Coordinates of all heavy atoms in Angstrom, one line a residue:
V1 N -40.4 5.3 28.5 CA -39.5 4.7 27.6 C -40.3 3.9 26.6 O -41.0 3.0 26.9 CB -38.5 3.8 28.3 CG1 -37.6 2.9 27.4 CG2 -37.6 4.6 29.3
W2 N -40.2 4.2 25.3 CA -40.9 3.5 24.2 C -40.2 2.3 23.9 O -40.8 1.2 23.6 CB -41.0 4.5 23.0 CG -42.0 4.0 22.0 CD1 -43.3 4.3 21.9 CD2 -41.6 3.3 20.8 NE1 -43.8 3.7 20.8 CE2 -42.8 3.1 20.1 CE3 -40.5 2.7 20.3 CZ2 -42.9 2.4 18.9 CZ3 -40.5 2.0 19.1 CH2 -41.7 1.9 18.4
A3 N -38.8 2.4 23.9 CA -38.0 1.2 23.6 C -36.6 1.3 24.2 O -36.0 2.3 24.0 CB -37.8 0.9 22.1
D4 N -36.2 0.4 25.1 CA -34.9 0.3 25.7 C -34.0 -0.4 24.6 O -34.3 -1.5 24.3 CB -34.9 -0.4 27.0 CG -33.6 -0.5 27.7 OD1 -32.5 -0.3 27.0 OD2 -33.5 -0.7 28.9
L5 N -33.0 0.3 24.2 CA -32.1 -0.2 23.1 C -30.8 -0.8 23.6 O -29.9 -1.0 22.8 CB -31.9 0.9 22.1 CG -33.2 1.6 21.5 CD1 -32.8 2.8 20.6 CD2 -34.1 0.6 20.8
G6 N -30.7 -0.9 24.9 CA -29.4 -1.5 25.4 C -28.3 -0.6 25.1 O -28.3 0.6 25.4
D7 N -27.3 -1.1 24.3 CA -26.1 -0.3 24.0 C -26.3 0.4 22.6 O -25.4 1.0 22.1 CB -24.9 -1.1 23.9 CG -24.8 -2.1 22.8 OD1 -25.9 -2.4 22.2 OD2 -23.7 -2.6 22.5
G8 N -27.6 0.4 22.1 CA -27.9 1.1 20.9 C -27.7 2.6 21.1 O -27.9 3.2 22.2
A9 N -27.4 3.3 20.0 CA -27.2 4.8 20.0 C -28.0 5.4 18.9 O -27.5 5.7 17.9 CB -25.7 5.1 19.8
P10 N -29.3 5.6 19.2 CA -30.2 6.1 18.1 C -29.9 7.5 17.7 O -29.7 8.4 18.6 CB -31.6 5.9 18.8 CG -31.4 6.1 20.2 CD -30.0 5.4 20.5
D11 N -29.9 7.7 16.4 CA -29.7 9.1 15.9 C -31.0 9.4 15.2 O -32.0 9.5 15.8 CB -28.5 9.0 15.0 CG -27.9 10.4 14.8 OD1 -28.6 11.4 14.7 OD2 -26.6 10.5 14.6
G12 N -31.0 9.6 13.9 CA -32.2 9.9 13.1 C -33.2 8.7 13.2 O -32.8 7.6 13.2
I13 N -34.5 9.1 13.2 CA -35.5 8.0 13.3 C -36.7 8.3 12.3 O -36.9 9.5 11.9 CB -36.1 7.8 14.7 CG1 -36.8 9.1 15.2 CG2 -35.0 7.5 15.7 CD1 -37.6 8.9 16.5
C14 N -37.5 7.3 12.0 CA -38.7 7.4 11.3 C -39.7 6.3 11.7 O -39.2 5.3 12.2 CB -38.5 7.5 9.8 SG -37.8 6.0 9.1
V15 N -41.0 6.5 11.5 CA -42.0 5.6 11.8 C -42.6 4.9 10.6 O -42.7 5.6 9.6 CB -43.1 6.3 12.6 CG1 -44.2 5.4 13.0 CG2 -42.6 7.0 13.8
D16 N -42.9 3.6 10.7 CA -43.6 3.0 9.6 C -45.0 2.7 9.9 O -45.5 2.9 11.0 CB -42.8 1.8 9.1 CG -42.8 0.6 10.0 OD1 -43.7 0.4 10.8 OD2 -41.9 -0.3 9.9
A17 N -45.7 2.2 8.9 CA -47.2 2.0 9.0 C -47.5 0.8 9.9 O -48.7 0.7 10.3 CB -47.8 1.7 7.6
D18 N -46.6 0.0 10.3 CA -46.8 -1.1 11.2 C -46.6 -0.6 12.7 O -46.7 -1.4 13.6 CB -45.9 -2.3 11.0 CG -46.3 -3.1 9.7 OD1 -47.4 -2.9 9.2 OD2 -45.5 -3.9 9.3
G19 N -46.3 0.7 12.8 CA -46.0 1.2 14.2 C -44.6 1.0 14.7 O -44.3 1.2 15.9
A20 N -43.7 0.5 13.9 CA -42.3 0.3 14.3 C -41.6 1.5 14.0 O -42.0 2.4 13.2 CB -41.7 -0.9 13.5
V21 N -40.4 1.6 14.6 CA -39.5 2.8 14.4 C -38.2 2.3 13.8 O -37.6 1.3 14.3 CB -39.3 3.6 15.7 CG1 -38.1 4.6 15.6 CG2 -40.5 4.3 16.2
W22 N -37.7 2.9 12.8 CA -36.4 2.7 12.3 C -35.5 3.7 13.0 O -35.8 4.9 13.1 CB -36.3 2.9 10.8 CG -36.8 1.8 10.0 CD1 -38.1 1.7 9.4 CD2 -36.1 0.7 9.5 NE1 -38.1 0.5 8.7 CE2 -36.9 -0.1 8.7 CE3 -34.8 0.2 9.8 CZ2 -36.5 -1.3 8.2 CZ3 -34.4 -1.0 9.2 CH2 -35.3 -1.7 8.4
Y23 N -34.3 3.3 13.4 CA -33.3 4.3 13.9 C -31.9 4.0 13.3 O -31.5 2.9 13.1 CB -33.2 4.3 15.5 CG -32.6 3.1 16.2 CD1 -31.2 3.1 16.4 CD2 -33.3 2.0 16.6 CE1 -30.6 2.0 17.0 CE2 -32.7 1.0 17.3 CZ -31.4 1.0 17.5 OH -30.8 -0.1 18.1
A24 N -31.3 5.1 13.0 CA -29.9 5.1 12.5 C -29.0 5.0 13.7 O -29.2 5.7 14.8 CB -29.6 6.3 11.7
D25 N -27.9 4.3 13.6 CA -26.9 4.1 14.8 C -25.5 4.3 14.2 O -25.0 3.5 13.5 CB -27.1 2.7 15.4 CG -26.4 2.5 16.6 OD1 -25.2 2.9 16.7 OD2 -27.0 1.9 17.6
V26 N -24.9 5.4 14.6 CA -23.5 5.7 14.1 C -22.5 4.7 14.6 O -21.8 4.1 13.7 CB -23.1 7.1 14.5 CG1 -21.7 7.4 14.1 CG2 -24.1 8.2 13.9
P27 N -22.3 4.5 15.9 CA -21.2 3.6 16.3 C -21.3 2.1 15.8 O -20.4 1.4 15.6 CB -21.1 3.7 17.8 CG -22.4 4.3 18.2 CD -22.9 5.1 17.0
H28 N -22.6 1.7 15.7 CA -22.8 0.3 15.3 C -22.9 0.1 13.8 O -23.0 -1.1 13.4 CB -24.1 -0.3 16.0 CG -23.9 -0.4 17.5 ND1 -24.4 0.5 18.4 CD2 -23.2 -1.3 18.3 CE1 -24.1 0.2 19.6 NE2 -23.4 -0.9 19.6
R29 N -22.9 1.2 13.1 CA -22.9 1.2 11.6 C -24.1 0.3 11.1 O -23.9 -0.5 10.2 CB -21.6 0.7 11.1 CG -20.5 1.5 11.6 CD -19.1 1.2 10.9 NE -18.8 -0.2 10.9 CZ -17.7 -0.7 10.4 NH1 -16.8 0.1 9.9 NH2 -17.5 -2.0 10.4
W30 N -25.3 0.7 11.6 CA -26.5 0.0 11.1 C -27.7 0.9 11.3 O -27.7 1.9 12.0 CB -26.7 -1.4 11.7 CG -26.8 -1.4 13.2 CD1 -27.1 -0.4 14.1 CD2 -26.6 -2.5 14.1 NE1 -27.1 -0.8 15.4 CE2 -26.8 -2.1 15.4 CE3 -26.3 -3.9 13.8 CZ2 -26.7 -3.0 16.5 CZ3 -26.2 -4.7 14.9 CH2 -26.4 -4.3 16.2

């Protein structure tokens, strides 16, 4: 597990130069 997101629902993702991941979340609209 790279990141436990609790009730997050990750869809599309991408990585940034700081090593963080952005994830899109349909039900939470963010």
Side-chain angles (χ1 to χ4, degrees):
V1 174
W2 193 87
D4 182 340
L5 306 175
D7 69 345
D11 202 323
I13 65 172
C14 61
V15 179
D16 72 23
D18 287 345
V21 169
W22 281 98
Y23 72 87
D25 188 315
V26 176
H28 293 101
R29 301 187 315 179
W30 59 19

